[in-house]
Amino acid sequence: MGQADLPLVEQFRSWVLPDGGVGAADRKAFFEDALVVLDTNVLLSLYEYNPAVRNQVLSVLAQISKRLWLPYQVGQEFVRGRRRVILERTRELGDAAAVIDRHLQQAHRSVLAASAHVKVLLKKYANDDAAQSGLDETINQTTVKALLGEWQVLLKDHAKKLKHGHDLLPAAVESDDPVLPEVAALFEDRLALPTEYAVVQRRLEEALSFRFPNEIPPGFADDGKKGKPLDRVGDYLIWAEILDKAVDPGVKRVLLVSADSKKDWYEELDAKGGKRPWPQLFEELRQRTGAELRIEQPGQFFQGIEEFLAPGMELTTAAYDEIDRAAEAVAQRSTEGDSSVTDDNAHVITPPDGLALAAYRAAGLTTRTVRQLAESERRRHFQWWLIGVTAELGFRVPDDDEPLVELCAAVRSEARPAPEWYPGTALVQGEWPYRSDTWVAPWFVQLVRDAGETDRLPLQRLAARQVQPRA
């Protein structure tokens, strides 16, 4: 009798045997007949990729599309998170030139300071005037500026190419999102229905009162996240939907693909970084549904598709580098938590002192009325929108600790975003260019009505620039 056949080992095979008790030789079966679930971070990574890599990844995903299934929680997080991903990337690449300048200015000062320090030592301990003069000729304002100037051009050129290499802008989410139809085509009608509110409430209470305090995976690492309770239990809600789906008679295997590697998904095995998916995950799925589980990181998953399903379709090395980069970005964002300002929470978040006023000045606004509105506690949506839009459009460089702002004063879409939003015709004809195909936030309509004539047009121009595609 082999070790795997021993009753004790069989009972605890999720803990004792590799890969949760499913041997590596069985990996091929997961690619051939498993239900495949892509975590939200895998779908949102499509917005992180450059166009060439995105097209390659979508082609590879098409090889397994007939077995893809979308949990409702994943779908909801995906459609709501698209703009945030684009905003973060746009902001980081847009800020690159200013960040480069800031670092090189510091380097300029540091080089001159180092030279000055050495000259002090030369005078103090050697009284060597010739050496001091030599340093002055070699290291001075002009020579340091010239040397750093060459590097400045090189670094900014790379940053510029990166910026223009990405085709998606925040306005695309509302007007013409090229990724959304591709994702919809992959899943077709294999979508979970919305979970009943009573069931969501029960799962929320189960997570917060039992699973998380006892560190039962997944999701317990999110227990300390800021925000609404539902924001802390997203991972568990996805897992609960998978458990429900895996009860179907035709589901014998579940292949979960996720870039998440936090401690509530992976057990740390040693101090050197060794880890494995928590055995409880394999055990719970097996006990409650009879199905087997496999969890893979995105790069590993795409390699599996190539190996088992499409040997002739090879992702380039650059594509795998991009996949790994996106996975790291997603993991970092997940670890840091979501600290963005949205339409839901803007009214309860106070901007840092002076930030709204700095945005007011950066936007070129001048009237006292609008300045008072930009500092009023009753106009938080306006304050945060002004802060966000001036950073998004490059009117100012945001502070390093400044939160991401996901607020639009208007959107271009066929459907009304919310019942209280106004059609574009609510704004002044001749001042608002998109009166026939936009919806305008109620707080912005009120702002335009309250603003003086001098600032009314600049405010509408800011909102218009935010919704229009930008090169």
Side-chain angles (χ1 to χ4, degrees), residues 72-394:
Y72 182 80
Q73 180 71 19
V74 171
Q76 181 174 249
E77 292 175 359
F78 167 66
V79 298
R80 295 179 64 181
R82 297 170 298 148
R83 192 171 190 274
R84 182 188 311 128
V85 174
I86 300 173
L87 269 173
E88 288 178 347
R89 190 201 62 223
T90 302
R91 174 167 139 173
E92 186 173 10
L93 293 178
D95 294 347
V99 173
I100 290 168
D101 286 342
R102 189 161 63 241
H103 284 303
L104 290 180
Q105 287 167 5
Q106 179 61 48
H108 186 281
R109 291 191 293 268
S110 296
V111 170
L112 293 178
S115 179
H117 179 67
V118 172
K119 286 192 294 181
V120 168
L121 296 178
L122 286 170
K123 181 174 181 62
K124 182 176 182 179
Y125 294 110
N127 198 25
D128 192 337
D129 294 335
Q132 295 178 64
S133 298
L135 280 179
D136 284 335
E137 292 178 6
T138 306
I139 303 175
N140 54 60
Q141 291 277 1
T142 302
T143 59
V144 173
K145 183 177 180 180
L147 181 61
L148 293 179
E150 295 179 12
W151 295 344
Q152 185 179 44
V153 171
L154 176 64
L155 294 171
K156 285 189 173 182
D157 184 56
H158 282 300
K160 185 177 181 180
K161 289 178 180 177
L162 286 171
K163 183 177 180 180
H164 291 295
H166 286 269
D167 60 334
L168 297 175
L169 294 165
V173 172
E174 286 84 16
S175 58
D176 185 25
D177 182 348
V179 177
L180 185 60
E182 298 279 2
V183 173
L186 287 174
F187 287 96
E188 295 181 337
D189 61 350
R190 296 178 297 279
L191 315 172
L193 295 174
T195 307
E196 295 180 2
Y197 283 145
V199 176
V200 173
Q201 181 179 359
R202 175 173 56 79
R203 289 173 177 172
L204 172 68
E205 293 171 352
E206 179 186 0
L208 296 181
S209 65
F210 173 66
R211 296 183 70 106
F212 288 4
N214 292 289
E215 296 193 349
I216 300 174
F220 62 79
D222 296 328
D223 193 22
K225 266 187 177 181
K226 297 179 181 178
K228 300 183 290 292
L230 276 175
D231 296 333
R232 303 200 294 271
V233 299
D235 282 358
Y236 175 58
L237 294 180
I238 294 171
W239 178 245
E241 286 192 67
I242 293 173
L243 292 173
D244 284 349
K245 179 65 175 177
V247 173
D248 292 353
V251 179
K252 303 300 181 185
R253 298 178 181 85
V254 175
L255 177 54
L256 174 61
V257 187
S258 176
D260 198 337
S261 59
K262 300 197 308 295
K263 66 179 182 178
D264 55 354
W265 283 100
Y266 285 81
E267 178 189 18
E268 296 182 1
L269 299 176
D270 54 54
K272 297 180 180 179
K275 59 178 63 177
R276 66 174 179 178
W278 274 106
Q280 289 106 313
L281 297 168
F282 301 93
E283 198 169 68
E284 184 172 15
L285 186 73
R286 189 179 294 129
Q287 288 180 358
R288 294 181 56 174
T289 72
E292 298 292 345
L293 174 67
R294 183 171 182 85
I295 301 177
E296 296 206 350
Q297 292 283 314
Q300 181 187 18
F301 169 66
F302 292 127
Q303 288 173 344
I305 294 178
E306 290 186 35
E307 180 180 352
F308 301 122
L309 302 180
M313 180 176 289
E314 295 185 3
L315 288 172
T316 63
T317 301
Y320 278 111
D321 289 342
E322 184 82 345
I323 290 167
D324 291 340
R325 180 202 62 78
E328 289 178 5
V330 167
Q332 181 179 1
R333 193 180 307 124
S334 177
T335 300
E336 294 173 348
D338 181 10
S339 59
S340 59
V341 178
T342 68
D343 190 60
D344 292 334
N345 63 18
H347 64 290
V348 296
I349 301 178
T350 303
D353 289 343
L355 186 55
L357 181 58
Y360 165 88
R361 291 169 175 161
L365 303 172
T366 58
T367 65
R368 180 173 180 174
T369 299
V370 173
R371 174 171 176 163
Q372 289 175 337
L373 295 175
E375 297 181 303
S376 171
E377 294 181 1
R378 292 178 293 177
R379 298 298 184 103
R380 291 295 190 219
H381 277 78
F382 169 48
Q383 291 176 3
W384 279 117
W385 170 74
L386 190 61
I387 290 167
V389 75
T390 51
E392 181 181 329
L393 299 179

Side-chain angles (χ1 to χ4, degrees), residues 38-56:
L38 306 181
D39 198 0
T40 311
N41 48 55
V42 178
L43 297 178
L44 289 178
S45 289
L46 293 168
Y47 292 89
E48 295 260 10
Y49 302 144
N50 65 52
V53 171
R54 186 189 311 123
N55 291 334
Q56 289 185 56

